[in-house]
Amino acid sequence: MFVEAVMCPETEFAKRRFLLTSEQDLRAIVASSAETVLVNTARSQVAVDGADAGKAQKSVDPVVATRTRTAITNNINALGDTLDMIRQGEAFDFDALQPAAASLVDSVTEAPAVLLQMTRLKSKDQGTFVHCIAVAGLMARLADETGSDSDTVQLLTTAGLLHDLGKLFIPDAILKKQGELTDAERRIIRTHPQIGFDILKRYPGVPQVVLDVCRLHHEALDGSGYPLGLSGDEIGPFVRLSTVCDVFDALTTVRPYKRAWTQEQAIHWMFDRGHLFDRKMVLTLGRLLDAMDPQ
Ligand SMILES: [Fe+2]
């Protein structure tokens, strides 16, 4: 089998991408402190345990696919309405978002590939809403996979729905600009996590983790992120999880001025930047995506 990456808590395998051909090498990995191994089934020359199960999930029953598409479309519209209300300064009830989050968790559990298909292409007008739906869906799957209980999965899904709320207050001329941003425009865009946090904080009943994801999803492990420049352990696991899902969706989105990266390219790019992203989360997402791949 073709090994893309081996994740060990103590030492990393120096040669991360290699064709594993011998039983002896396999035993060496199993006996090591490796926690996660990312296997590229497409480049493997033998059937890999788990790959068949993954393929089985890729073919979605047409009835389920239609039902899931309808549910996700409803989610996008409901989220659009809710975020518009917040933008216009109307009352916002955090609990009112819970049915949308629960429906999204159901959709992404039942037919994850449909979510990826639907959210890859984002129109200019619905870009932020659809991105939030995609990130929320990915966060639901990743939270579930990393052992969160169902209440936490739903909470993180809601956090994903709201994470880019602050972008609604960034001028469209900057947010929807086609092409490179100037330094000044980039500085303005970078205010969105703090803006979103300041707005959410005004409403009662918004859990701390939702506030944290909104404010901190652009922080980086080496301290180079924004708005606070937190580093390492200052960035909690739920925020790390949100960052990985957020960046993955951004990289794999089709935009008018750039081709979308493949899922594999995005996972590799993030894995190679362990100074920015939590590699364990990246690997777990990569493993999940292999089973979700809509292509
Ligand atoms: Fe953001």
Side-chain angles (χ1 to χ4, degrees), residues 131 163-164 167 192-193 214 217-218 226 246:
H131 169 67
H163 81 281
D164 261 349
K167 275 196 183 161
H192 80 269
C214 185
H217 66 274
H218 286 288
Y226 60 92
D246 181 38

Side-chain angles (χ1 to χ4, degrees), residues 227-245:
L228 303 182
L230 301 182
S231 62
D233 291 343
E234 293 175 313
I235 305 171
F238 295 147
V239 170
R240 293 174 182 220
L241 185 150
S242 72
T243 303
V244 166
C245 296

Side-chain angles (χ1 to χ4, degrees), residues 40-262:
N40 185 334
T41 52
R43 295 179 69 181
S44 295
Q45 295 159 2
V46 293
V48 179
D49 274 357
D52 290 342
K55 279 179 189 137
Q57 286 180 36
K58 286 177 192 174
S59 59
V60 181
D61 181 309
V63 177
V64 172
T66 303
R67 187 170 65 222
T68 307
R69 272 189 210 102
T70 305
I72 292 172
T73 302
N74 290 341
N75 271 318
I76 291 169
N77 294 336
L79 180 65
D81 291 346
T82 304
L83 296 187
D84 269 343
M85 279 170 51
I86 299 176
R87 176 159 48 183
Q88 288 159 20
E90 293 176 28
F92 161 62
D93 177 6
F94 179 78
D95 290 336
L97 258 187
Q98 294 312 303
S103 158
L104 192 57
V105 173
D106 287 347
S107 295
V108 79
T109 304
E110 192 170 48
V114 175
L115 176 88
L116 289 182
Q117 277 169 340
M118 283 188 72
T119 55
R120 190 161 288 174
L121 239 179
K122 299 172 179 64
S123 73
K124 255 176 22 177
D125 289 335
Q126 285 199 313
T128 299
F129 302 150
V130 181
H131 169 67
C132 290
I133 294 281
V135 171
L138 289 168
M139 285 178 68
R141 291 290 289 119
L142 192 51
D144 181 56
E145 186 68 17
T146 50
S148 291
D149 60 38
S150 59
D151 287 348
T152 307
V153 169
Q154 182 154 329
L155 195 57
L156 287 171
T157 307
T158 316
L161 291 175
L162 292 170
H163 81 281
D164 261 349
L165 169 69
K167 275 196 183 161
L168 302 181
F169 298 83
I170 303 294
D172 276 359
I174 298 175
L175 201 59
K176 295 174 182 174
K177 182 178 177 183
Q178 297 191 8
E180 281 279 308
L181 296 170
T182 65
D183 286 347
E185 289 167 339
R186 200 167 284 119
R187 272 197 298 278
I188 291 171
I189 289 248
R190 287 182 171 208
T191 59
H192 80 269
Q194 186 67 41
I195 292 173
F197 171 78
D198 289 341
I199 290 167
L200 282 182
K201 221 172 39 165
R202 288 185 213 145
Y203 296 98
V206 180
Q208 187 61 43
V209 65
V210 176
L211 295 170
D212 285 347
V213 166
C214 185
R215 190 190 206 183
L216 306 176
H217 66 274
H218 286 288
E219 299 289 347
L221 294 178
D222 66 355
S224 64
Y226 60 92
L228 303 182
L230 301 182
S231 62
D233 291 343
E234 293 175 313
I235 305 171
F238 295 147
V239 170
R240 293 174 182 220
L241 185 150
S242 72
T243 303
V244 166
C245 296
D246 181 38
V247 173
F248 174 81
D249 184 65
L251 294 176
T252 54
T253 288
V254 179
R255 295 195 197 283
Y257 53 88
K258 79 162 180 67
R259 275 180 51 207
W261 289 13
T262 64

